[in-house]
Amino acid sequence: MTVLGHPRSWSFEWLPVLMLLLGTCHGPGVEGVTHYKAGDPVILYVNKVGPYHNPQETYHYYQLPVCCPEKIRHKSLSLGEVLDGDRMAESLYEIRFRENVEKRILCHMQLSSAQVEQLRQAIEELYYFEFVVDDLPIRGFVGYMEESGFLPHSHKIGLWTHLDFHLEFHGDRIIFANVSVRDVKPHSLDGLRPNEFLGLTHTYSVRWSETSVERRSDRRRGDDGGFFPRTLEIHWLSIINSMVLVFLLVGFVAVILMRVLRNDLARYNLDEETTSGSSGDDFDQGDNGWKIIHTDVFRFPPYRGLLCAVLGVGAQFLALGTGIIVMALLGMFNVHRHGAINSAAILLYALTCCISGYVSSHFYRQIGGERWVWNIILTTSLFSVPFFLTWSVVNSVHWANGSTQALPATTILLLLTVWLLVGFPLTVIGGIFGKNNSSPFDAPCRTKNIAREIPPQPWYKSTLIHMTVGGFLPFSAISVELYYIFATVWGREQYTLYGILFFVFAILLSVGACISIALTYFQLSGEDYRWWWRSVLSVGSTGLFIFLYSVFYYARRSNMSGAVQTVEFFGYSLLTGYIFFLMLGTISFFSSLKFIRYIYINLKMD
């Protein structure tokens, strides 16, 4: 087995780092296509192999006993390609532009019984291979497996030793590439005795054809005979479900603001004579108890430094998610470029660190925080530390199994350098600006020194019930679309409906804000002024529902298996739920704060 080498061009200097991060992003219409002349060599790179149902479990193609050059030369890769698990290397295939080839010999091999067994295991696990021609991925299965009958049971395994390459061109550019074994019989790997060698001859054919399609992006989906399924369509059910939920919630909140609050304010703002002539118990009746706690509702919460860090990092991920979707809408991600979104996410995360520092430090100073340096350290560690711990476990599992998803040491140093030289300094700079630009909290009501006693609350106003309701409703708004997102990230789909994704993202934030206002109102009406952390936890619990959905998806909607894929799936699913907790908790908190300021500003005080 050939040991996997690292790409040759990973010695980066400091200044081009950001350019390298942007190297996989292209403007609209830019495809990076090479122009050829008739007879020019077309390099075919071998890339990776792996189980069909485990998208993140990939290995270098030359780790299998296949035709391999004496000296393996790796292609220079971008950061996004390395993060995507690509390890491209030159192959023995000789392809020239517009020159057909009929059954040319690639190599002769003598396989030992151990090598044959390795191929058998790969074929039984449905290993597929990925080659790359002019940035176009072409994929096929390593071999063929057939099982038939019960008594007697037959189990046949064969290896594809001949590949037919079909390439389409328009003018001097390659538009499409595919590989086929349609008219080929597999070479049987059955019946080999121990210590016996198997002789194989690998061959290939190349067929060129001209197409009227001028650009790769103009090719209709489904015309490529794609190796992976193409089932993503406009999800009208998801959109209608989300829209109905949004309209109901917005209408519900509007009723609260326009009717219930209007009645409350009218009652609370009665003249002193009218109030004195009443029973005096109006404030304690029904849902009208929120005026009583006006001297406590703006009492600063415990763990204010942690709260501000959550708000800062949540605001950062809101900006990051919006930026990724907007860039996709502008056509800056080429589907033929590997790892483009990965590179953009790293770049935007580093640049948006200033947002987390600013929001956290600004609000921390507003609510009377004094340990500013500790707040910045907590803010910069709130996501980076859990991410590093999760990545360390996942990367170690990949490394122990020889997977290409394990990052080389040079890539790890590059990412660490980006964080140390860009992310962390921007967090500090944002924190300095936030601290210096902060103004007093300016609460509409004066807070007393002695806290008011909170009356016993019914079970349906408990934190657990609020988290259940506040998490389930936003989750239900995106549950249908969430399946397609999981099928893209953890499956074989290509998600290109970024307009719908932006719409669903906006719906998610709107539902979170509306349900947060409603839950906060019910909490205050029960004379419970501990809304600060409750508002974050109530809607932030959507992240827990997303993680529970990931468990359901793994068990019922996917065929993933094995330690490598399982550790990566649950590790990063847990991080995804954590990110949604931060984002939606931030939206929920600021919505509740805006709502509380509104109702108490309009309340006349003695």
Side-chain angles (χ1 to χ4, degrees):
M1 182 183 299
T2 305
V3 178
L4 174 64
H6 296 321
R8 294 174 297 155
S9 62
W10 280 102
S11 56
F12 297 104
E13 297 180 9
W14 306 122
L15 291 179
V17 166
L18 294 181
M19 295 301 296
L20 285 167
L21 288 172
L22 286 170
T24 55
C25 299
H26 297 270
V30 179
E31 298 184 353
V33 180
T34 305
H35 297 271
Y36 297 93
K37 297 179 181 178
D40 283 352
V42 177
I43 300 178
L44 185 147
Y45 293 100
V46 299
N47 191 12
K48 53 191 176 184
V49 294
Y52 181 85
H53 296 297
N54 292 356
Q56 278 67 43
E57 183 181 351
T58 55
Y59 307 94
H60 198 285
Y61 180 75
Y62 286 143
Q63 289 181 256
L64 291 177
V66 293
C67 296
C68 176
E70 294 182 1
K71 183 178 180 181
I72 299 177
R73 296 183 177 180
H74 289 271
K75 180 187 178 184
S76 300
L77 300 176
S78 67
L79 175 61
E81 290 170 332
V82 174
L83 294 176
D84 204 37
D86 292 342
R87 303 292 187 270
M88 300 182 200
E90 294 181 4
S91 67
L92 295 174
Y93 293 97
E94 295 182 3
I95 301 177
R96 294 188 177 275
F97 189 65
R98 301 180 65 172
E99 291 186 4
N100 294 333
V101 174
E102 287 294 335
K103 209 166 185 179
R104 177 180 293 173
I105 295 177
L106 183 67
C107 73
H108 300 282
M109 298 188 69
Q110 290 290 327
L111 300 182
S112 65
S113 57
Q115 290 175 317
V116 172
E117 183 61 27
Q118 184 183 0
L119 286 173
R120 286 177 58 89
Q121 291 180 0
I123 295 170
E124 286 179 338
E125 295 180 14
L126 296 180
Y127 268 48
Y128 73 98
F129 63 83
E130 180 179 281
F131 298 162
V132 179
V133 177
D134 194 26
D135 285 333
L136 291 172
I138 54 179
R139 305 177 181 94
F141 284 107
V142 172
Y144 170 82
M145 181 176 65
E146 177 183 347
E147 293 200 38
S148 61
F150 180 69
L151 287 175
H153 175 69
S154 63
H155 183 73
K156 299 179 181 179
I157 294 180
L159 175 70
W160 299 118
T161 57
H162 179 83
L163 298 178
D164 284 321
F165 295 100
H166 176 214
L167 298 101
E168 296 181 3
F169 65 94
H170 181 88
D172 57 356
R173 295 169 296 161
I174 300 175
I175 302 299
F176 171 73
N178 192 22
V179 63
S180 173
V181 291
R182 182 174 302 172
D183 300 323
V184 180
K185 292 184 178 181
H187 194 289
S188 176
L189 299 181
D190 299 320
L192 188 68
R193 293 189 296 271
N195 300 324
E196 182 181 358
F197 286 85
L198 178 65
L200 294 176
T201 299
H202 288 271
T203 58
Y204 67 98
S205 300
V206 181
R207 294 181 177 86
W208 292 87
S209 61
E210 190 168 7
T211 178
S212 59
V213 178
E214 297 184 2
R215 297 186 303 173
R216 296 174 181 178
S217 57
D218 291 339
R219 189 179 182 90
R220 291 182 300 171
R221 193 191 319 175
D223 286 351
D224 56 358
F227 181 71
F228 296 137
R230 300 288 186 271
T231 59
L232 289 181
E233 299 175 354
I234 295 179
H235 322 306
W236 294 113
L237 178 62
S238 172
I239 296 174
I240 295 174
N241 173 67
S242 301
M243 288 181 61
V244 169
L245 184 60
V246 168
F247 289 146
L248 289 176
L249 284 175
V250 171
F252 181 61
V253 173
V255 167
I256 291 177
L257 293 177
M258 297 177 62
R259 186 173 181 179
V260 180
L261 279 179
R262 184 171 57 188
N263 294 337
D264 288 352
L265 290 171
R267 175 177 298 183
Y268 290 157
N269 293 332
L270 290 176
D271 294 337
E272 189 171 328
E273 296 95 11
T274 306
T275 303
S276 60
S278 65
S279 62
D281 296 329
D282 288 343
F283 293 160
D284 297 325
Q285 295 178 359
D287 292 332
N288 299 325
W290 55 267
K291 180 185 177 181
I292 300 177
I293 59 173
H294 69 274
T295 57
D296 296 278
V297 72
F298 292 104
R299 187 180 305 279
F300 297 145
Y303 311 109
R304 65 185 72 178
L306 179 60
L307 175 64
C308 295
V310 169
L311 300 179
V313 179
Q316 177 186 1
F317 277 106
L318 284 170
L320 173 62
T322 304
I324 289 289
I325 298 176
V326 170
M327 291 175 66
L329 286 173
L330 295 177
M332 300 183 69
F333 299 135
N334 190 336
V335 296
H336 300 295
R337 301 289 294 183
H338 293 213
I341 294 183
N342 292 339
S343 299
I346 292 174
L347 173 64
L348 287 180
Y349 175 78
L351 295 180
T352 54
C353 282
C354 59
I355 297 178
S356 64
Y358 181 88
V359 173
S360 176
S361 181
H362 184 269
F363 195 72
Y364 184 69
R365 179 54 65 93
Q366 273 193 332
I367 61 177
E370 298 178 355
R371 303 174 63 186
W372 172 77
V373 176
W374 169 248
N375 174 251
I376 290 297
I377 295 175
L378 184 60
T379 301
T380 195
S381 305
L382 195 64
F383 175 76
S384 58
V385 171
F387 174 80
F388 177 77
L389 294 176
T390 304
W391 170 84
S392 298
V393 174
V394 173
N395 199 67
S396 298
V397 173
H398 281 299
W399 177 81
N401 288 272
S403 171
T404 59
Q405 298 288 336
L407 297 183
T410 48
T411 307
I412 297 173
L413 291 176
L414 171 65
L415 297 176
L416 184 61
T417 300
V418 171
W419 185 79
L420 289 176
L421 297 184
V422 181
F424 182 72
L426 284 180
T427 305
V428 176
I429 293 174
I432 294 174
F433 276 97
K435 176 176 67 73
N436 294 336
N437 293 335
S438 64
S439 56
F441 186 71
D442 193 22
C445 309
R446 186 173 64 254
T447 301
K448 289 185 177 180
N449 295 329
I450 301 176
R452 177 186 176 87
E453 182 179 357
I454 300 174
Q457 299 294 312
W459 64 270
Y460 54 85
K461 289 188 177 182
S462 64
T463 302
L464 181 61
I465 298 301
H466 276 208
M467 290 178 63
T468 302
V469 175
F472 177 75
L473 289 178
F475 170 77
S476 64
I478 63 170
S479 57
V480 177
E481 192 69 20
L482 200 61
Y483 166 78
Y484 297 99
I485 296 174
F486 269 70
T488 301
V489 177
W490 301 109
R492 303 299 188 180
E493 303 283 3
Q494 288 185 1
Y495 197 101
T496 56
L497 305 175
Y498 299 114
I500 293 180
L501 183 62
F502 182 80
F503 181 73
V504 172
F505 184 66
I507 286 177
L508 175 65
L509 301 184
S510 302
V511 172
C514 292
I515 195 63
S516 173
I517 292 174
L519 292 175
T520 299
Y521 173 79
F522 290 131
Q523 181 183 359
L524 297 181
S525 66
E527 302 177 20
D528 186 354
Y529 52 82
R530 299 168 300 183
W531 64 272
W532 301 74
W533 277 108
R534 177 78 68 87
S535 63
V536 174
L537 295 175
S538 59
V539 180
S541 62
T542 305
L544 177 60
F545 282 88
I546 291 176
F547 178 74
L548 293 177
Y549 176 82
S550 70
V551 177
F552 168 78
Y553 180 87
Y554 181 89
R556 299 295 184 181
R557 292 290 182 265
S558 75
N559 294 307
M560 292 182 282
S561 60
V564 175
Q565 183 65 37
T566 301
V567 170
E568 171 149 340
F569 178 85
F570 285 107
Y572 288 129
S573 293
L574 192 61
L575 274 180
T576 301
Y578 180 53
I579 291 173
F580 273 90
F581 165 77
L582 296 172
M583 287 196 305
L584 296 178
T586 300
I587 285 290
S588 175
F589 176 84
F590 284 115
S591 299
S592 295
L593 178 61
K594 188 74 174 177
F595 169 74
I596 292 173
R597 281 185 175 275
Y598 170 79
I599 63 175
Y600 282 98
I601 284 177
N602 289 277
L603 184 66
K604 295 180 181 179
M605 299 299 173
D606 295 336

